[in-house]
Amino acid sequence: MSLTDVLSRIDTDLPAATDRLMDLLRIPSISTDPAFKSDCDRAADWLVSDLNSLGITTEKRATPGHPMVVGHLDGTGPHLLFYGHYDVQPVDPLNLWNLDPFDPDIQDTPAGKVIRGRGSSDDKGQLMTFVEACRAWKAVHGTLPCKLTFFLEGEEESGSPSLVPFMKEHADELTADIALICDTAMVSPGVPSIAGQLRGMLKDEFTIHGPTRDLHSGHYGGPGLNPLREISRIVASFHDTETGAVAVDGFYEGVPEVSDEMLRQWQNCGFDEAAYLGGVGYTQAHGEKAYSTLEQQWARPTLEINGLWGGYQGAGTKTVIPAEAHCKLTCRLVGDMDPDRLRTRIRAHVETRLSPDARVTWDGDLDGSPASVMNTDRPEFEAARQALSNEWNREAVIVGMGGSIPIAGFFKDILGLDSMLIGYANEDDAIHSPNEKYNLASFHKGIRSWARILDALTRA
Amino acid sequence: MSLTDVLSRIDTDLPAATDRLMDLLRIPSISTDPAFKSDCDRAADWLVSDLNSLGITTEKRATPGHPMVVGHLDGTGPHLLFYGHYDVQPVDPLNLWNLDPFDPDIQDTPAGKVIRGRGSSDDKGQLMTFVEACRAWKAVHGTLPCKLTFFLEGEEESGSPSLVPFMKEHADELTADIALICDTAMVSPGVPSIAGQLRGMLKDEFTIHGPTRDLHSGHYGGPGLNPLREISRIVASFHDTETGAVAVDGFYEGVPEVSDEMLRQWQNCGFDEAAYLGGVGYTQAHGEKAYSTLEQQWARPTLEINGLWGGYQGAGTKTVIPAEAHCKLTCRLVGDMDPDRLRTRIRAHVETRLSPDARVTWDGDLDGSPASVMNTDRPEFEAARQALSNEWNREAVIVGMGGSIPIAGFFKDILGLDSMLIGYANEDDAIHSPNEKYNLASFHKGIRSWARILDALTRA
């Protein structure tokens, strides 16, 4: 029996594999909202049961937050650790979805069939590509070709507060030769991609307080300090409109320039700038003017406003000067940028710009993750690149990534473990947005890709 | 029988008068929110019934919005028209109230007893001072000393869309010698005040559109245009931070300087700047630096942000670049400022500052009202000033007002009718805010004040 048999099995089993994914997608495991705590628990149970059915000894492990799912399969060959996450983003604004986000469906689109629903791409669909590859391999060979550890978390979309403590406590159990992570996108449709570097992340949240209570804008309009004006002025001061750069003092400390060699690789990686920008309504890039679109996305840090609110939002008018205004922000970090030092600088930027009678309170998650650079010289990268190139009939590329997947940094720092991030998502998957989808082709060829990679790594 | 008998009757009837007001306060007549349409209707019915019980022939009159309440009493003496409004502001944020806003109560405070609940001051409590004065007068004298028209609306807190059409259609029915309006505050606690001028109002609302859908801030952070940053920059550009002035081109066209004589009167009107600012947590005024606090409030125009929102507002983090950001604004106008011309200028200010790939849509109420200056030379003003001075043992003053009560301008323009605005609210009544209250003393002495004013006007 051969890899060909495994690939055939994957092809014939695709309808059943899709049904299994649908089951998992129906569980609304939104980790950031305490209202969905029991749903996160149900998603973990579902995975425990599914992995055990493959002969992988799997348990749910309690944490102060949502549980970890940890599974082990002893065997010969290399020891691979697979990481994914079973939690999903919130679904608002709900009115923009074309179906119930937790009642997924297969929909026809001009670009082919898609699996539509929250988590279909990020990350339930992606993580199930690896599980289904294992299932097909087991069905054909009766066993798997390697020693395997599964490590699935339920807090990735809410800052992974339990992850580092759990890894430190269970470091012995989580050793392996290399970690495989399926939570990334392809650089362009049909171009298989392995992440060479990932941006880090810093989150913070603040409230500007003005008057001691909401005021009438007739009685206090003029003399009254308005927190909405105050927060607008401060948010506007975060960027230099001329250069597009972040204007927080010291923000770019630790940011490396990309080497000419890396830039040349990126220029040839199949990134379709017009599709990337035009697909969401942009005619141009809006970041730092001194850098290309790809550098802005992969190699430059950002300070982004994710939420801003205060005052009256209902129908009609309310002539109010509100007592408070709120802002949620995240930064993407590169190179050696230090999240803790940067947080101090951002807070100082705000505090030194406050008007008299305004004050700020901070409510940020104090965790931050630095950027990650992968050890792409390891032989597994070339083996996986060949396997992916064979499946997609297109040379696989090693690319930068704009997103933040701090797990790779934690694997390295805590367990001394290198990571290889391979994913089959597309930029238009609308992850974190209404109408999230995963191309049925991503799911199908993703499963086949992992089967080829398992084959390549165990032969290497 | 004399005025003294009427005042005594008011004193003994105060508990019953308070109970009647409580009944009216229990009706949640929020005009701006369509969910409360039937409640607005119920408040109108309540007033129709109450006025008819006083022998005033009163009807509810349909409009495209909430109904008008119109009542007539024939008689000898001057013909007075009384205007008030039975609708109230929304109640959010609900968690800051110390009681159900529509289950009013009498509460003890360090400053004395207060009637607490939405509308207790603005304007149900105030309008009932006049109704109760009429009731006491009728009880003592069997009739009223003048010809009376009641004209009560239910859309004052939502821009009064039906008011002007209704006045034009029923101009004959709404003629009188002078209009009395009870919807204003005293300049300082215990200082009876008549409005000499009122600011006008302009409302507008806009949405900044960026990408065609919500984006992931990892995949698009950097190259992606963020509507929250865009709206912050535009809102910040509305004001000059050095001078505190509005920076919209041509904004101050038609703004007069206040005469030295008027300024002298205002300086002696009992306005307590430290209490006005300190009572809401300010140590200084935050408007135009070239003008005093009182001028900023009464005689200078404003552009104020009443609501600002976009992106994720829930618990935790969502790494989103939202597709849209929203802003609600109002301007207070003085002198000869033209609302329509100003709206065009504000919209141009926004449109010329948009980044490429951003666009704006407008959703503003297109009505605006210019500022009003009262005809304080009429003898009724001096008669009322004397009556108020007698009741409050403090010389009554003619003051400016920061709020906007466009009805006075409409009475003048449509009916040729001068208005006299007298109210008993206090700056700390928290109108439009949580925990709105009306001092029981305002209610009691307000009723007595109107009885004295009725007496003075009918003798004059």
Side-chain angles (χ1 to χ4, degrees):
Chain A
M1 288 179 290
S2 65
L3 175 62
T4 313
D5 297 318
V6 176
L7 296 177
S8 295
R9 168 78 194 183
I10 289 169
D11 294 346
T12 55
D13 197 40
L14 182 64
T18 308
D19 285 347
R20 284 186 287 268
L21 173 58
M22 295 290 201
D23 268 355
L24 181 57
L25 293 178
R26 283 189 197 97
I27 306 173
S29 46
I30 301 171
S31 58
T32 202
D33 188 338
F36 296 89
K37 182 163 178 49
S38 70
D39 298 301
C40 291
D41 218 55
R42 275 205 294 140
D45 288 335
W46 191 98
L47 286 161
V48 167
S49 163
D50 195 48
L51 292 177
N52 275 308
S53 78
L54 299 182
I56 299 157
T57 307
T58 308
E59 291 177 346
K60 191 169 65 174
R61 301 287 181 81
T63 76
H66 303 301
M68 302 290 175
V69 172
V70 182
H72 295 289
L73 178 75
D74 208 1
T76 55
H79 185 176
L80 307 178
L81 182 147
F82 180 81
Y83 166 88
H85 65 91
Y86 64 79
D87 62 319
V88 298
Q89 280 275 316
V91 294
D92 65 291
L94 199 54
N95 62 313
L96 296 185
W97 285 80
N98 71 19
L99 85 180
D100 177 341
F102 296 111
D103 188 12
D105 203 359
I106 307 284
Q107 294 184 344
D108 282 308
T109 76
K113 285 188 190 300
V114 303
I115 304 165
R116 181 93 63 194
R118 175 55 90 226
S120 56
S121 177
D122 181 17
D123 184 46
K124 290 172 175 172
Q126 299 241 65
L127 86 82
M128 288 304 290
T129 57
F130 189 83
V131 175
E132 294 297 344
C134 292
R135 194 187 320 274
W137 195 290
K138 179 103 189 299
V140 171
H141 294 282
T143 181
L144 283 163
C146 55
K147 194 168 169 182
L148 254 182
T149 297
F150 273 85
F151 181 39
L152 310 176
E153 74 158 317
E155 298 180 321
E156 199 273 345
E157 303 293 5
S158 55
S160 299
S162 309
L163 186 67
V164 167
F166 188 89
M167 287 173 71
K168 286 181 173 165
E169 198 179 335
H170 300 86
D172 287 350
E173 197 186 342
L174 297 172
T175 52
D177 296 323
I178 193 167
L180 303 178
I181 301 174
C182 191
D183 196 18
T184 49
M186 296 188 291
V187 66
S188 208
V191 180
S193 311
I194 303 174
Q197 57 187 68
L198 287 162
R199 293 195 290 189
M201 170 102 94
L202 164 71
K203 305 171 181 180
D204 219 335
E205 180 170 347
F206 62 94
T207 299
I208 302 278
H209 306 263
T212 51
R213 59 177 173 81
D214 283 6
L215 302 178
H216 186 294
S217 72
H219 293 177
Y220 279 93
L225 175 86
N226 184 333
L228 296 176
R229 283 167 50 190
E230 191 75 0
I231 209 163
S232 297
R233 187 175 54 73
I234 285 171
V235 166
S237 77
F238 283 140
H239 292 82
D240 179 335
T241 50
E242 285 304 307
T243 63
V246 176
V248 172
D249 191 41
F251 186 81
Y252 290 96
E253 190 178 291
V255 176
E257 293 296 315
V258 178
S259 71
D260 291 346
E261 168 53 27
M262 185 72 88
L263 277 181
R264 254 194 306 280
Q265 282 187 34
W266 288 358
Q267 277 153 12
N268 297 317
C269 74
F271 173 71
D272 183 341
E273 180 174 7
Y276 168 81
L277 294 172
V280 298
Y282 296 141
T283 60
Q284 63 181 75
H286 295 274
E288 291 178 273
K289 291 180 182 158
Y291 295 88
S292 72
T293 301
L294 213 47
E295 284 174 281
Q296 289 174 31
Q297 185 196 356
W298 291 353
R300 299 296 299 174
T302 67
L303 188 164
E304 210 51 88
I305 309 302
N306 307 118
L308 185 70
W309 72 99
Y312 185 62
Q313 304 180 22
T317 298
K318 185 176 181 189
T319 50
V320 66
I321 296 176
E324 295 181 350
H326 309 271
C327 179
K328 285 178 191 273
L329 64 85
T330 49
C331 293
R332 301 284 170 169
L333 313 183
V334 302
D336 296 320
M337 293 173 83
D338 178 333
D340 294 331
R341 199 179 315 160
L342 201 57
R343 183 190 313 278
T344 305
R345 287 181 156 151
I346 290 168
R347 291 185 172 192
H349 180 97
V350 172
E351 280 156 14
T352 56
R353 277 163 182 78
L354 289 172
S355 297
D357 295 342
R359 66 187 173 88
V360 63
T361 53
W362 295 90
D363 191 24
D365 166 355
L366 289 175
D367 289 330
S369 63
S372 301
V373 179
M374 306 306 145
N375 187 358
T376 53
D377 294 336
R378 286 184 61 129
E380 290 92 341
F381 280 77
E382 185 51 27
R385 223 175 57 74
Q386 288 299 336
L388 286 165
S389 301
N390 291 341
E391 173 60 28
W392 294 82
N393 292 315
R394 167 70 163 86
E395 191 166 8
V397 288
I398 294 181
V399 298
M401 297 255 164
S404 304
I405 307 180
I407 186 76
F410 299 143
F411 280 149
K412 187 72 188 174
D413 295 345
I414 300 169
L415 307 175
L417 194 57
D418 284 325
S419 296
M420 188 157 65
L421 292 97
I422 299 170
Y424 315 101
N426 280 284
E427 287 296 346
D428 69 352
D429 279 357
I431 70 171
H432 296 208
S433 297
N435 296 323
E436 179 177 351
K437 60 87 177 165
Y438 198 44
N439 291 356
L440 192 58
S442 292
F443 188 57
H444 184 192
K445 291 175 80 66
I447 301 170
R448 288 172 56 99
S449 294
W450 283 124
R452 288 182 189 271
I453 292 167
L454 281 179
D455 182 63
L457 294 184
T458 51
R459 285 172 196 271
Chain B
M1 287 182 290
S2 65
L3 175 61
T4 313
D5 297 319
V6 176
L7 296 177
S8 295
R9 168 80 194 181
I10 289 169
D11 295 346
T12 56
D13 198 40
L14 182 64
T18 309
D19 285 346
R20 284 186 287 270
L21 173 57
M22 295 290 201
D23 269 355
L24 181 56
L25 293 178
R26 282 187 198 99
I27 306 173
S29 46
I30 301 171
S31 58
T32 202
D33 187 337
F36 296 88
K37 183 165 177 48
S38 70
D39 297 301
C40 291
D41 218 55
R42 276 203 296 140
D45 287 335
W46 191 97
L47 286 161
V48 167
S49 164
D50 195 48
L51 292 177
N52 276 309
S53 79
L54 298 183
I56 300 157
T57 308
T58 308
E59 292 178 345
K60 191 169 66 174
R61 301 288 182 80
T63 77
H66 304 300
M68 302 289 175
V69 172
V70 182
H72 296 289
L73 178 75
D74 208 1
T76 54
H79 185 176
L80 307 177
L81 180 146
F82 180 81
Y83 165 87
H85 65 91
Y86 64 80
D87 62 320
V88 298
Q89 280 274 316
V91 294
D92 66 289
L94 200 53
N95 61 315
L96 296 185
W97 286 80
N98 70 18
L99 84 182
D100 176 340
F102 295 111
D103 188 12
D105 204 357
I106 307 285
Q107 294 184 344
D108 282 308
T109 75
K113 285 187 189 300
V114 304
I115 304 164
R116 181 93 64 194
R118 176 55 91 222
S120 56
S121 177
D122 180 18
D123 184 46
K124 290 171 176 172
Q126 299 242 65
L127 87 82
M128 288 304 289
T129 58
F130 190 83
V131 175
E132 293 297 344
C134 291
R135 194 187 321 275
W137 196 289
K138 180 106 190 299
V140 170
H141 294 281
T143 181
L144 283 162
C146 55
K147 194 169 168 180
L148 254 183
T149 297
F150 273 84
F151 182 38
L152 310 177
E153 73 157 316
E155 298 179 324
E156 200 272 346
E157 302 293 5
S158 54
S160 299
S162 308
L163 185 68
V164 166
F166 188 90
M167 286 174 71
K168 285 182 173 163
E169 197 178 335
H170 300 86
D172 287 350
E173 198 186 342
L174 297 171
T175 53
D177 296 323
I178 193 167
L180 304 178
I181 301 175
C182 191
D183 196 17
T184 48
M186 296 189 291
V187 66
S188 207
V191 180
S193 311
I194 304 174
Q197 57 188 68
L198 286 163
R199 293 194 290 190
M201 171 102 94
L202 165 70
K203 306 170 183 181
D204 220 335
E205 181 171 345
F206 62 95
T207 298
I208 302 277
H209 306 263
T212 49
R213 59 177 171 82
D214 284 4
L215 302 179
H216 186 293
S217 70
H219 293 177
Y220 280 93
L225 176 86
N226 185 333
L228 296 176
R229 285 168 48 189
E230 191 76 359
I231 210 162
S232 296
R233 187 174 56 73
I234 285 171
V235 166
S237 78
F238 282 141
H239 292 82
D240 179 334
T241 50
E242 285 305 307
T243 63
V246 177
V248 172
D249 191 42
F251 186 82
Y252 290 96
E253 190 178 291
V255 177
E257 293 296 315
V258 178
S259 70
D260 290 346
E261 169 54 25
M262 186 72 89
L263 277 182
R264 255 193 306 279
Q265 281 187 34
W266 288 358
Q267 277 153 12
N268 297 317
C269 74
F271 173 71
D272 184 340
E273 180 175 7
Y276 168 81
L277 294 173
V280 298
Y282 297 141
T283 59
Q284 62 181 75
H286 296 273
E288 290 178 274
K289 291 180 182 158
Y291 295 88
S292 72
T293 301
L294 213 48
E295 285 174 280
Q296 290 175 29
Q297 185 196 358
W298 291 353
R300 300 295 300 173
T302 66
L303 188 165
E304 210 52 87
I305 310 301
N306 306 121
L308 185 70
W309 72 99
Y312 185 62
Q313 303 180 23
T317 298
K318 185 177 180 187
T319 49
V320 65
I321 295 176
E324 295 180 352
H326 310 270
C327 178
K328 286 178 190 273
L329 64 85
T330 49
C331 293
R332 301 284 170 168
L333 313 182
V334 302
D336 296 321
M337 292 173 83
D338 179 333
D340 294 331
R341 199 178 315 160
L342 201 57
R343 183 189 313 279
T344 304
R345 287 182 156 150
I346 291 168
R347 292 186 172 192
H349 180 96
V350 172
E351 280 155 14
T352 55
R353 278 163 181 77
L354 289 173
S355 297
D357 295 341
R359 66 189 174 86
V360 63
T361 53
W362 295 90
D363 190 25
D365 166 355
L366 289 175
D367 289 330
S369 63
S372 301
V373 179
M374 307 303 145
N375 187 0
T376 54
D377 294 335
R378 287 184 62 128
E380 290 92 341
F381 279 77
E382 185 52 26
R385 222 175 58 74
Q386 288 299 336
L388 286 166
S389 303
N390 291 341
E391 173 60 27
W392 295 80
N393 293 314
R394 167 71 162 86
E395 190 164 9
V397 289
I398 293 179
V399 297
M401 298 254 164
S404 303
I405 307 180
I407 185 76
F410 298 143
F411 281 149
K412 187 72 187 174
D413 294 345
I414 300 168
L415 307 174
L417 193 57
D418 285 326
S419 297
M420 187 158 64
L421 292 98
I422 299 170
Y424 316 102
N426 280 283
E427 288 295 347
D428 69 351
D429 279 357
I431 68 171
H432 298 207
S433 298
N435 296 323
E436 179 176 351
K437 61 87 177 166
Y438 199 43
N439 291 356
L440 193 58
S442 292
F443 188 56
H444 184 193
K445 290 176 80 65
I447 301 169
R448 289 172 56 99
S449 294
W450 283 124
R452 289 182 188 270
I453 292 167
L454 281 179
D455 182 65
L457 294 183
T458 51
R459 285 172 196 273

